[in-house]
Amino acid sequence: MTGAVLASIDPSVLAEGVNLMWVAVVCFLIFFMHAGFAMLEAGQVRAKNVANQLTKNLLTWSVGVLVYFLVGFGVEGLSAGGGFSAASALGDGGWVNSWLFGAVFAMTAATIVSGAVAGRAKLRAYVAYTIAISAVIYPVVAGITWGGGFLGGAGLGFTDFAGGMIVHGMGGIAGLTAAYVLGPRMDRYAEDGSSNVIPGHSMTFAVLGTLILAFGWYGFNVGTTATVFAVDGGELVLDGYASVGRVSLGTTLGMAAGGVGAALASVALSKKVDTLYVANGLLAGLVGVTGIANLVTWWGAIAVGLLCGLQLPLVFEFVSDTMKIDDVCAVFPVHGSAGVLGVLALPFVSINGFSLDLLISQVIGVVVIGAWTVVGTAVVFGAFKATGQARVTPEHERDGLDVSEHGVETYPEFGKPSVTTDGGRVVGADADDGSPRADGGEEDGADIKMVTAVVRPDKLGDIKQALAEINAPSLTVTNVSGRGSQPAKKGQWRGEEFTVDLHQKVKIDVVVADIPADEVAEAIADAAETGEPGDGKVFVLPVEDALQVRTGATGPEAV
């Protein structure tokens, strides 16, 4: 019965259905990589620029995919030697296996650039570049290679399986060019030319973003074996999917070797395993095998991944310290140089053995793609720079792009109304007279004093409880940083060491009238004490007068 049903199925229909489903799932996986890019880049920028970075990632997809649909897809066909064929003219199947499959790769190339120009690029300049790369810069590269243009297999023979150079190498080179045109962030370099480290705000975000990208990368590489079945002589046979095992193996081994290579290089340079270098090295290893995953030997995948991980710290330090290019998220050593190394390594690690002709083709392809990318990127950002629209003003850069470009704060300042700071029970308008008062007493007439303490943030909860127990629950809390007797420490960000001499603290202000100020000071001191340097200090200051805004009461009554 089952055999009869299967015999009645047209093999070509089954093959087409499975192939379309495979490509659709792969596209969804590659799209999810944008979540990884957003997390990775947000973690590597300062807290005041996180919303700006997330907005750029959102607009890269939103603007870019529309532009690629309306213009870029047709330009890709045009640069391949055919005519301009709009994506709107495709049928249902073509919108998946032709347009959408191309779009997710195009948007990956586009979003790489955002990490290089973080912290100082105007949003309008970045969006304009997103339009340019989606409409022209990337489509031309894809057309002259994958589309059958002069660099592709039917022409020069340049080989790039899943975009090691066409997507990642191009994106990394574009990011480096854009960062050079924009110039470094404020305070990135001292007057004597030495580098100042500007750490990102969240290692957790950076590592989580890395792992999300690595997950999506299986769609990027393995998914490029885009056709599962073909029909040969009326029978179903494996098509591109026949190489899925080699692609999966190469992707996994290259990823792992990249992380190991970066860790080894980090130890050699700084005597420590730098977390961010390991994360970036893992991605560099993935980039390295992306262009060769269908042809690379197992040992070749390890060798290329290891090489891409090892080069990461060296190239990053050369770019940042020697060339003085402020590549914030290290997009060039992760995507650019790793992509170049990967496709150039193919003739040496291919299952087909060494080929001089292939090596020459790979070199020419890298030079052509690199030159086109540099020129196209420099023209767009150069035009905006010439008109003064490339980067934000120094004042806006100092304040942060979240506020200046978007009017929002990713992390609202400490002590917003949603945060309870009184350390006691909530009392309403009908609370009884026995509830704690702000001044800690029941009668007016005493002098007003302010008790100010600068203490460890983790002791805030204990201090609030201690104040509530002496009926002085009202307080104002501010996040501050400073230094006193607590010794400075050494920090490290992507292999570069810096001094941490301003320590995170909280400043607590308590104004009292009828409760002795020394009791408040002692309660704070007892609750804040750990016995280690850096516990903080408590100050008692006189307050000349007070005015309650709502009632107009003055003096101790206002407190």
Side-chain angles (χ1 to χ4, degrees):
M1 179 67 178
T2 303
V5 172
L6 292 175
S8 66
I9 296 176
D10 185 346
S12 62
V13 173
L14 180 60
E16 182 181 7
V18 172
N19 291 341
L20 287 175
M21 181 177 66
W22 169 253
V23 173
V25 171
V26 163
C27 289
F28 305 152
L29 273 175
I30 299 174
F31 166 74
F32 190 59
M33 291 175 72
H34 285 268
F37 277 115
M39 295 291 287
L40 174 63
E41 294 170 8
Q44 294 180 83
V45 302
R46 303 178 74 175
K48 64 183 181 180
N49 295 321
V50 172
N52 177 256
Q53 203 60 28
L54 297 176
T55 303
K56 286 193 294 185
N57 278 275
L58 292 168
L59 288 178
T60 298
W61 175 265
S62 302
V63 173
V65 80
L66 289 172
V67 172
Y68 183 76
F69 178 78
L70 297 171
V71 180
F73 183 82
V75 171
E76 190 172 318
L78 193 64
S79 63
F84 184 96
S85 179
S88 57
L90 295 171
D92 283 346
W95 280 328
V96 173
N97 61 22
S98 183
W99 170 74
L100 183 58
F101 194 58
V104 291
F105 280 81
M107 295 307 100
T108 300
T111 200
I112 290 171
V113 181
S114 67
V117 300
R120 76 273 203 199
K122 277 193 175 182
L123 186 64
R124 68 191 69 172
Y126 176 76
V127 171
Y129 181 74
T130 297
I131 294 172
I133 195 173
S134 303
V136 180
I137 299 175
Y138 171 81
V140 167
V141 172
I144 63 178
T145 52
W146 288 333
F150 74 95
L151 284 182
L156 183 65
F158 175 74
T159 301
D160 186 342
F161 174 64
M165 181 64 199
I166 295 171
V167 176
H168 293 278
M170 194 207 79
I173 292 171
L176 184 71
T177 305
Y180 171 77
V181 173
L182 282 177
R185 288 167 292 174
M186 297 174 63
D187 303 326
R188 180 63 175 90
Y189 300 102
E191 292 183 1
D192 62 0
S194 60
S195 298
N196 294 322
V197 181
I198 304 178
H201 89 290
S202 175
M203 189 67 72
T204 304
F205 279 11
V207 172
L208 179 59
T210 296
L211 295 175
I212 292 174
L213 279 171
F215 171 71
W217 221 293
Y218 282 107
F220 207 92
N221 284 7
V222 180
T224 301
T225 57
T227 51
V228 179
F229 291 132
V231 178
D232 184 12
E235 294 184 355
L236 282 177
V237 295
L238 283 178
D239 196 13
Y241 211 70
S243 64
V244 70
R246 182 177 304 282
V247 175
S248 301
L249 179 67
T251 300
T252 305
L253 294 179
M255 177 200 314
V260 171
L264 293 174
S266 174
V267 169
L269 292 172
S270 65
K271 312 303 181 189
K272 296 179 181 179
V273 178
D274 186 89
T275 305
L276 190 55
Y277 267 148
V278 174
N280 288 165
L282 185 146
L283 296 179
L286 281 167
V287 171
V289 298
T290 290
I292 62 177
N294 63 325
L295 295 173
V296 69
T297 59
W298 67 264
W299 57 265
I302 295 176
V304 170
L306 192 65
L307 175 63
C308 290
L310 288 169
Q311 63 86 38
L312 175 73
L314 301 176
V315 172
F316 178 76
E317 290 191 6
F318 177 77
V319 167
S320 63
D321 297 342
T322 303
M323 298 180 69
K324 305 299 181 185
I325 298 177
D326 187 14
D327 180 0
V328 179
C329 295
V331 303
F332 181 72
V334 171
H335 301 276
S337 54
V340 170
L341 287 172
V343 295
L344 292 182
L346 178 59
F348 303 94
V349 298
S350 172
I351 56 175
N352 299 321
F354 178 76
S355 169
L356 180 60
D357 290 340
L358 178 59
L359 178 59
I360 294 172
S361 298
Q362 298 297 84
V363 171
I364 295 174
V366 166
V367 171
V368 171
I369 294 171
W372 165 252
T373 302
V374 169
V375 171
T377 305
V379 166
V380 176
F381 277 99
F384 273 87
K385 184 176 182 179
T387 58
Q389 297 300 312
R391 63 183 294 163
V392 298
T393 64
E395 293 78 12
H396 286 174
E397 186 174 343
R398 187 75 70 187
D399 292 341
L401 274 62
D402 289 3
V403 173
S404 63
E405 291 279 277
H406 310 285
V408 301
E409 294 185 32
T410 305
Y411 303 103
E413 63 183 358
F414 191 87
K416 286 287 187 181
S418 59
V419 179
T420 301
T421 59
D422 61 3
R425 67 181 185 271
V426 177
V427 293
D430 58 347
D432 59 45
D433 293 336
S435 62
R437 284 179 45 184
D439 60 6
E442 298 178 354
E443 297 179 0
D444 301 327
D447 292 337
I448 308 170
K449 291 186 178 180
M450 175 183 288
V451 180
T452 296
V454 179
V455 296
R456 299 176 185 270
D458 58 311
K459 303 302 293 183
L460 179 58
D462 293 338
I463 292 170
K464 286 160 54 179
Q465 182 62 37
L467 291 176
E469 289 174 357
I470 63 169
N471 287 329
S474 293
L475 71 165
T476 302
V477 180
T478 310
N479 272 333
V480 296
S481 58
R483 60 186 178 192
S485 60
Q486 191 174 1
K489 297 181 179 180
K490 294 294 184 182
Q492 185 170 297
W493 180 257
R494 200 184 275 114
E496 295 186 80
E497 193 174 77
F498 60 97
T499 300
V500 180
D501 62 350
L502 294 179
H503 304 279
Q504 190 65 39
K505 304 289 182 181
V506 291
K507 179 184 176 185
I508 301 171
D509 293 316
V510 182
V511 179
V512 294
D514 290 333
I515 185 171
D518 57 349
E519 289 186 20
V520 176
E522 289 174 7
I524 294 175
D526 290 343
E529 183 181 8
T530 68
E532 299 293 330
D535 278 349
K537 294 180 175 65
V538 182
F539 307 94
V540 180
L541 300 87
V543 176
E544 185 173 337
D545 202 354
L547 171 65
Q548 187 175 38
V549 174
R550 179 177 60 85
T551 64
T554 60
E557 184 181 352
V559 176

